[in-house]
Amino acid sequence: QTQAEQKIIKTMKYLTISTILTTILQSPSITTAAASSPPVAGGPAIPTDVTPQNYTDAEGVLLQGFLSLPPDINSNSDTAPLPAVIILHDASGPDTYEQQRATILAHSYGYVGFVADIFGLLTVKPAEDAPWSERGAFTSQFSNNATLFTQRIQAAVEYVRGLEEVDETKVGMVGYCMGGTGVVHYLNVYGEAGSDGGDVPLAGVIAVHPSL
């Protein structure tokens, strides 16, 4: 990628959170932080406030996502179930960048943010400084396998919809790069209705810089 392309991709990443919240998941139940319309979020200084959450996919593979809740949710017993956004990570895994996005969703907008795990908790991953030939070969087992990729995504969807804090009719999804490819796979395999073809489709999805 050229420097110009990288700059465009970075800008799109920072715009995505604001876009998904203002277009598909407006919540009348939270009026504190959300009402102040915080500025476009992004930057390496954004703090994280997440807790690891273990769950499994349909084959029993152990996954570890990261959950962020609005700070006042435990003290407000009258809070109605909240919208949630599932964040699908890029090729580097569910690291600080995605955890920042989940924290922004919870602290600035009053939503439930959940970073999904596509790779698996016990999976041996290439080193961060490994050549792309090695890292690309690793990630291709997911990006080139729609069945496996969507199975891991569906595990996150089911986990989030099962949280007592979440309104299961208002669950959205955003994916970055490899995660954006996962969004495309998910829609191609399951459609908007989800894996069971039921009456509770995802409220909306955004794929940032996916492979098509």
Side-chain angles (χ1 to χ4, degrees):
Q1 297 167 346
T2 66
Q3 289 186 343
E5 290 172 333
Q6 291 174 351
K7 184 175 181 181
I8 291 171
I9 292 166
K10 185 176 181 181
T11 302
M12 289 174 65
K13 280 187 173 184
Y14 291 163
L15 290 172
T16 299
I17 290 295
S18 293
T19 301
I20 194 170
L21 295 179
T22 57
T23 57
I24 64 173
L25 295 174
Q26 293 297 325
S27 171
S29 60
I30 293 293
T31 57
T32 53
S36 62
S37 298
V40 173
I46 298 295
T48 61
D49 180 17
V50 297
T51 56
Q53 303 290 318
N54 290 352
Y55 61 109
T56 58
D57 72 359
E59 294 182 347
V61 175
L62 181 62
L63 309 169
Q64 185 176 82
F66 296 90
L67 178 68
S68 189
L69 299 173
D72 61 348
I73 193 169
N74 293 327
S75 61
N76 186 0
S77 59
D78 296 329
T79 300
L82 305 175
V85 177
I86 297 168
I87 302 166
L88 305 183
H89 59 76
D90 59 20
S92 62
D95 56 18
T96 301
Y97 181 85
E98 288 80 17
Q99 293 173 32
Q100 288 174 329
R101 266 63 248 163
T103 302
I104 292 167
L105 287 164
H107 285 238
S108 296
Y109 295 92
Y111 288 53
V112 173
F114 184 74
V115 182
D117 177 13
I118 302 302
F119 294 155
L121 179 60
L122 304 180
T123 301
V124 178
K125 309 171 186 67
E128 291 185 6
D129 59 352
W132 176 245
S133 58
E134 182 179 342
R135 291 184 290 129
F138 173 78
T139 58
S140 66
Q141 64 184 304
F142 302 97
S143 57
N144 293 342
N145 186 339
T147 300
L148 176 60
F149 210 154
T150 54
Q151 177 177 293
R152 297 287 172 87
I153 296 172
Q154 184 60 26
V157 172
E158 293 175 359
Y159 178 82
V160 169
R161 282 183 169 162
L163 295 172
E164 62 181 2
E165 298 90 351
V166 171
D167 179 346
E168 68 171 358
T169 69
K170 293 183 177 180
V171 176
M173 183 187 302
V174 56
Y176 297 106
C177 202
M178 189 191 98
T181 302
V183 170
V184 175
H185 280 326
Y186 190 87
L187 292 179
N188 284 337
V189 172
Y190 292 144
E192 295 181 2
S195 66
D196 58 0
D199 298 326
V200 188
L202 291 174
V205 299
I206 292 179
V208 180
H209 190 231
S211 295
L212 301 176

